[in-house]
Amino acid sequence: MLIDGHGRTVDYLRVSVTERCNFRCQYCMPEKPFSWVPKENLLSFEELFLFMKVAMDEGVNKIRITGGEPLLREDLDTFIKMIHDYKPDIDLALTTNAYLLPQTAQRLKDAGLKRLNISLDSLIPAVAHKIAQKDVLAQVLKGIDKALEVGLGVKINMVPLKGINDNEILDIMDYCKERHIKVRFIEYMENRHAEQSLKGMHGREILEKVKEKHTIHALGREGASPSFNYELEDGYEFGLIDPHKHDFCENCNRIRLTAEGNLIPCLYFDEAMSIADSVKKGDIQGAADVLAQVLKDKPKENRWSEENPNEEDISSRAFYETGG
Ligand code: SAM
Ligand code: SF4
């Protein structure tokens, strides 16, 4: 079992397979970064997998593949199959913008993938275009349909932004209800890579919007899940991911691995340790030692504050690098 320096069990590893993306979401990567990590610096699937085996052997039982846009990485289904074959009962999921799902969903499912989280911020083509800075909506909706058709579990992530898509919270919820899928509203997390004029909605404001049409009943957090769950009058459940809330980090169970091998203990902070040298040499003990050190140093909590953000509440971590 993996325990961090604050006594929390860590059993969840998020693995970013690329920082590159086919969208330029304003809250994540409004412009193409000045320089991408050169392709030769990316770890191969075999190298990433060597570390993942260490983590799985020591107690990780949930893995999420993310990015950038993970479906841009060639042969992702082969990677999924490697993980699935090693531990068929692992809770294996992927986060995607869905753009490439029409042509990849079946292969992902066949490789052993069980669940997808899909980002859907608007049902209005012009608004989706404004957020992603590309005309994406029709293809994203096709991708969601395809994922459901092949039998993948789907959850929707929406980041409500003031003056942009805040009037679509109920519409996105209805879209999800009609398809019997869960929506999770994510508070915008301030970071230096985002378009700086954006204003996110606080969790409390998101709930107020939902209450305009529904009565809601708080269910609480599901284990160490970052999502606080609520139920509507008709039993439909939705989630709120509220990293600005003071107790958000109490049960944090996750660490993150980037495509170039940086192991990141917290989404907010810059601190990271590299496993690249160890996995390139096939040094399992070296990788395990880095993992132990990162767990020991894992911060107690993030610094997004519940009040209006000031300078030190803005993370310098890029979401497209860590995978959110
Ligand atoms: N490209 C994939 C996608 O968009 O789903 C996976 C990577 S993306 C970085 C993972 C998640 O992070 C998405 O749900 C996205 O909405 C969320 N995200 C990115 N930047 C964010 C921010 N500043 N605040 C809150 N959520 C953010
Ligand atoms: Fe790409 Fe996902 Fe970031 Fe949007 S949120 S720019 S889709 S990595």
Side-chain angles (χ1 to χ4, degrees):
M1 199 191 280
L2 296 168
I3 308 282
D4 78 0
H6 302 281
R8 297 171 294 199
T9 302
V10 172
D11 55 9
Y12 179 15
L13 175 67
R14 297 176 65 102
V15 180
S16 170
V17 291
T18 178
E19 56 168 359
R20 291 169 197 242
C21 192
N22 45 356
F23 290 14
R24 294 284 175 269
C25 300
Q26 292 196 38
Y27 48 68
C28 177
M29 190 200 295
E31 283 168 36
K32 186 174 163 184
F34 181 66
S35 64
W36 293 114
V37 172
K39 281 219 165 110
E40 59 272 20
N41 288 13
L42 295 185
L43 295 188
S44 66
F45 284 148
E46 287 71 22
E47 289 161 348
L48 288 170
F49 187 56
L50 190 138
F51 175 78
M52 290 160 79
K53 278 196 291 191
V54 170
M56 286 189 272
D57 290 349
E58 295 206 19
V60 161
N61 56 30
K62 177 172 177 181
I63 289 183
R64 174 172 300 280
I65 311 298
T66 176
E69 176 45 43
L71 299 182
L72 288 180
R73 184 122 179 207
E74 233 171 276
D75 299 327
L76 190 73
D77 53 324
T78 312
F79 185 49
I80 303 267
K81 189 163 171 4
M82 281 160 81
I83 305 165
H84 177 71
D85 287 352
Y86 187 71
K87 239 191 176 191
D89 58 347
I90 192 115
D91 182 1
L92 182 57
L94 178 111
T95 300
T96 173
N97 62 31
Y99 196 82
L100 296 172
L101 275 181
Q103 59 267 45
T104 54
Q106 186 66 60
R107 270 188 282 137
L108 295 170
K109 167 85 174 146
D110 294 345
L113 188 71
K114 298 186 180 78
R115 301 187 295 107
L116 291 172
N117 284 8
I118 297 178
S119 304
L120 177 69
D121 294 316
S122 174
L123 291 167
I124 302 170
V127 178
H129 191 154
K130 180 174 176 169
I131 296 173
Q133 303 193 84
K134 175 168 166 172
D135 184 13
V136 294
L137 185 63
Q139 182 74 3
V140 166
L141 296 180
K142 264 192 221 156
I144 297 174
D145 288 344
K146 188 68 188 178
L148 292 171
E149 185 192 312
V150 304
L152 284 162
V154 172
K155 280 184 196 160
I156 297 295
N157 289 339
M158 176 194 189
V159 180
L161 299 166
K162 283 186 181 162
I164 299 180
N165 63 349
D166 50 352
N167 56 348
E168 289 192 70
I169 289 175
L170 290 168
D171 293 342
I172 297 248
M173 186 179 254
D174 284 345
Y175 169 91
C176 293
K177 272 178 86 175
E178 279 162 25
R179 286 159 185 78
H180 308 289
I181 55 185
K182 183 170 179 176
V183 60
R184 293 160 356 138
F185 301 108
I186 307 180
E187 283 178 345
Y188 165 61
M189 288 168 249
E190 295 77 15
N191 69 92
R192 296 196 199 288
H193 302 263
E195 163 53 52
Q196 292 303 303
S197 61
L198 294 181
K199 295 263 174 297
M201 283 179 81
H202 194 281
R204 153 176 30 83
E205 297 170 312
I206 295 170
L207 293 177
E208 272 159 24
K209 279 273 179 201
V210 178
K211 282 184 199 162
E212 284 174 12
K213 188 167 160 196
H214 299 283
T215 51
I216 61 176
H217 166 66
L219 298 172
R221 288 192 210 283
E222 241 175 69
S225 164
S227 169
F228 195 104
N229 292 329
Y230 294 85
E231 186 182 49
L232 300 187
E233 63 286 350
D234 59 5
Y236 175 76
E237 284 183 25
F238 70 98
L240 178 67
I241 299 185
D242 50 0
H244 295 76
K245 202 141 182 250
H246 69 277
D247 64 351
F248 182 78
C249 306
E250 265 171 23
N251 294 318
C252 182
N253 65 341
R254 67 208 55 203
I255 47 173
R256 295 168 166 87
L257 179 64
T258 69
E260 51 177 341
N262 288 322
L263 198 56
I264 298 172
C266 175
L267 185 58
Y268 182 94
F269 297 96
D270 279 340
E271 279 72 17
M273 278 182 81
S274 178
I275 51 119
D277 284 349
S278 308
V279 296
K280 282 182 183 161
K281 287 189 281 189
D283 176 5
I284 291 174
Q285 187 54 50
D289 290 346
V290 175
L291 173 59
Q293 190 61 45
V294 164
L295 288 174
K296 191 163 162 266
D297 296 344
K298 188 166 157 59
K300 187 161 181 263
E301 56 199 7
N302 71 45
R303 282 215 191 125
W304 283 294
S305 90
E306 291 204 49
E307 309 310 322
N308 287 332
N310 49 44
E311 267 299 289
E312 61 273 19
D313 301 326
I314 299 178
S315 171
S316 47
R317 269 255 168 252
F319 277 65
Y320 55 83
E321 186 202 1
T322 55

